[in-house]
Amino acid sequence: MMDRWLRNTNVVKVIALIIGILLWAVVHMEDSSLPGTGGTGVREEKISNVSVTPKYDSNQFYVESIDPAQVVLTISGKDAALKKAMSTSNYSVELDLTKYGKGEHILTLTPVGFPPNVTVKVSPASAKVVIDEKSNKQMPVTVNVTGIPAVGLKAGQPIVKPSKVTVTVPSGDVDSIESVRADVSVEKAQSPVSSKARLVAYDKNGKIMEMAAINPAVVEVEVPITSPFTSVPLQLKLVGEPPRGFSVASLQQNTDKVTVYGPQDVLNRLEYYEGPSVNLGELKEEKEYTLILDIPLRNKVTQLDPPKVEVKFNIVPSATKTLEQIPLSIVGQNDGFDTKVVLPETGKINLIVEGAQALLDKVKAADVQAILDVSNLPPGRHELPVVFNLPTFIKKGPQQDFKATVEISAKQQ
């Protein structure tokens, strides 16, 4: 039956007419004018809030402001071209600053990334831009240690690598940089805290400088966690004195101070640290002795730095010297009684002292105390031994056991 229709001339004509009408309709729809296009087959689309993108050397310059920062684009073209342009996100509005330096400029805005078969209009067509130069400043890194370590421990001096960084800011802000800081928490830490910390720049008002670029932006920080510590003088405990005929000419320590670690209440009471004992009676020859001694841990102390001390003694033959008219001093007297020396009548004595010649040359009678202790004695006459307080490494000469007589009586009313 279909073959019979196709053999019929009239049927073929009708089919050809229908096809022609359809083709005309398709062409007419594509070329006919759309609302608002003026009958040319071109239509418009508007894109609002398109950001202006500055093109510049960010290592050298800083864009302080762009006005306006966003614009409206009017795109015109055929429907297919518009749809293609609208479907891509590669377009932008560019502000070319590559030929401009510091200052205020009014420049034309350029749309980029659109296909060639559309027309783009930017509104407004230009923008005012303010450009500033960048400046660099070297700054030390400050570590802000936060939190409290575990009980009985304390945070030590932080170690930062690198210790200095470069801060880049607009030239007008370079004098405002006050510090570059890293924050590190040691909360409940029982061992050294190591971390990578981000740096933040602050101005003189303590506010964060948002526009500051820091190189490097991250540093390595280590915070030691130790027992509390303090640094005090190291005092050797000298026992006895060299045999008769020998004296100490000099004593040298390789360290006069020691860092003591331990409970805070123990450290608070320390005025000095008692070091190792040295028996001077064992130094029996004329020579220089070098002793390397362990410093003992005492009274809950957990650590010492340094743990050892090197001591040098120079032993020489003794010389002697007579110190004359040394006044006798009375200690321990009762305020309700008068106490006076009756023998010797002068209240003074002479004393032969022994020591290294170089030290004796400097000793005077005023450097020696001759003491009579009358503590708890009743009124009356009392014969008492004289006790001598001598300078370091000076000793009393042989066969000199001094005694003196004091009289204690009630005060006259």
Side-chain angles (χ1 to χ4, degrees):
M1 182 175 178
M2 181 65 70
D3 291 343
R4 271 187 277 126
W5 282 5
L6 294 174
R7 290 192 197 102
N8 187 318
T9 306
N10 291 330
V11 172
V12 173
K13 290 178 179 179
V14 171
I15 292 173
L17 178 61
I18 292 171
I19 292 172
I21 292 171
L22 291 173
L23 290 172
W24 176 85
V26 170
V27 173
H28 179 74
M29 288 179 64
E30 185 172 317
D31 291 340
S32 63
S33 61
L34 297 173
T37 62
T40 63
V42 175
R43 67 185 182 89
E44 292 183 350
E45 287 284 351
K46 289 196 175 188
I47 308 175
S48 301
N49 301 324
V50 179
S51 296
V52 175
T53 303
K55 180 181 177 184
Y56 66 104
D57 182 358
S58 59
N59 293 321
Q60 185 178 358
F61 296 103
Y62 161 69
V63 176
E64 190 171 304
S65 65
I66 299 175
D67 184 25
Q70 294 180 327
V71 294
V72 176
L73 299 182
T74 302
I75 308 175
S76 59
K78 292 188 177 182
D79 187 57
L82 287 186
K83 287 181 178 179
K84 183 178 179 180
M86 298 285 288
S87 65
T88 180
S89 59
N90 294 330
Y91 63 83
S92 63
V93 175
E94 190 175 271
L95 184 62
D96 189 355
L97 308 176
T98 55
K99 297 180 181 179
Y100 298 88
K102 179 178 179 180
E104 182 179 303
H105 311 278
I106 297 177
L107 303 173
T108 301
L109 298 171
T110 305
V112 295
F114 291 95
N117 53 352
V118 298
T119 302
V120 183
K121 179 183 177 183
V122 183
S123 179
S126 60
K128 181 173 73 173
V129 60
V130 178
I131 306 172
D132 194 359
E133 291 179 330
K134 286 186 174 181
S135 294
N136 296 329
K137 186 176 183 180
Q138 277 241 317
M139 293 291 295
V141 176
T142 302
V143 178
N144 179 40
V145 178
T146 62
I148 301 174
V151 176
L153 301 177
K154 67 182 295 184
Q157 182 67 32
I159 301 169
V160 187
K161 297 180 182 178
S163 59
K164 289 186 177 181
V165 294
T166 301
V167 184
T168 303
V169 292
S171 59
D173 294 338
V174 71
D175 291 333
S176 299
I177 306 171
E178 179 68 15
S179 64
V180 175
R181 195 175 79 196
D183 293 332
V184 177
S185 173
V186 296
E187 185 68 27
K188 297 182 179 179
Q190 297 181 346
S191 59
V193 175
S194 297
S195 68
K196 292 184 180 295
R198 185 177 69 89
L199 297 177
V200 179
Y202 292 85
D203 65 15
K204 294 179 180 179
N205 296 317
K207 294 183 179 179
I208 294 176
M209 301 183 71
E210 301 286 357
M211 299 310 301
I214 304 173
N215 185 30
V218 176
V219 293
E220 294 181 4
V221 181
E222 180 171 335
V223 183
I225 303 297
T226 65
S227 299
F229 61 88
T230 187
S231 181
V232 293
L234 175 63
Q235 180 68 49
L236 294 180
K237 186 177 181 181
L238 302 179
V239 179
E241 54 189 27
R244 185 67 62 190
F246 294 96
S247 296
V248 178
S250 65
L251 179 153
Q252 291 180 324
Q253 298 173 211
N254 67 335
T255 179
D256 294 322
K257 288 189 174 183
V258 63
T259 301
V260 184
Y261 296 80
Q264 191 63 56
D265 60 335
V266 173
L267 301 182
N268 290 342
R269 297 193 297 269
L270 278 183
E271 294 183 4
Y272 66 92
Y273 192 80
E274 186 177 297
S277 296
V278 178
N279 187 352
L280 298 181
E282 296 177 353
L283 309 181
K284 302 177 180 179
E285 298 180 44
E286 179 187 350
K287 70 175 187 178
E288 185 176 278
Y289 292 82
T290 299
L291 307 176
I292 298 178
L293 305 171
D294 291 323
I295 305 174
L297 299 177
R298 308 179 190 274
N299 191 23
K300 299 182 181 180
V301 169
T302 58
Q303 181 183 342
L304 296 167
D305 184 23
K308 297 178 182 290
V309 59
E310 181 181 281
V311 186
K312 291 183 178 181
F313 290 92
N314 186 20
I315 304 299
V316 298
S318 296
T320 60
K321 180 179 182 178
T322 300
L323 301 176
E324 298 180 348
Q325 300 295 298
I326 300 171
L328 291 167
S329 300
I330 298 174
V331 298
Q333 54 191 324
N334 190 314
D335 291 340
F337 295 88
D338 286 325
T339 304
K340 63 180 180 178
V341 177
V342 292
L343 286 176
E345 294 179 357
T346 61
K348 298 179 180 180
I349 59 175
N350 298 336
L351 176 68
I352 299 172
V353 292
E354 179 182 340
Q357 187 64 59
L359 298 180
L360 287 179
D361 290 343
K362 300 176 183 178
V363 173
K364 304 181 294 294
D367 299 325
V368 177
Q369 286 182 304
I371 300 170
L372 297 172
D373 189 354
V374 298
S375 301
N376 302 316
L377 292 179
R381 287 198 171 203
H382 304 275
E383 187 178 65
L384 302 173
V386 179
V387 178
F388 292 94
N389 187 6
L390 300 170
T392 303
F393 303 137
I394 300 297
K395 53 190 175 182
K396 187 177 64 169
Q399 300 177 354
Q400 295 184 103
D401 294 325
F402 291 92
K403 290 186 178 181
T405 301
V406 298
E407 185 175 79
I408 302 173
S409 58
K411 284 189 175 181
Q412 298 287 329
Q413 295 296 327

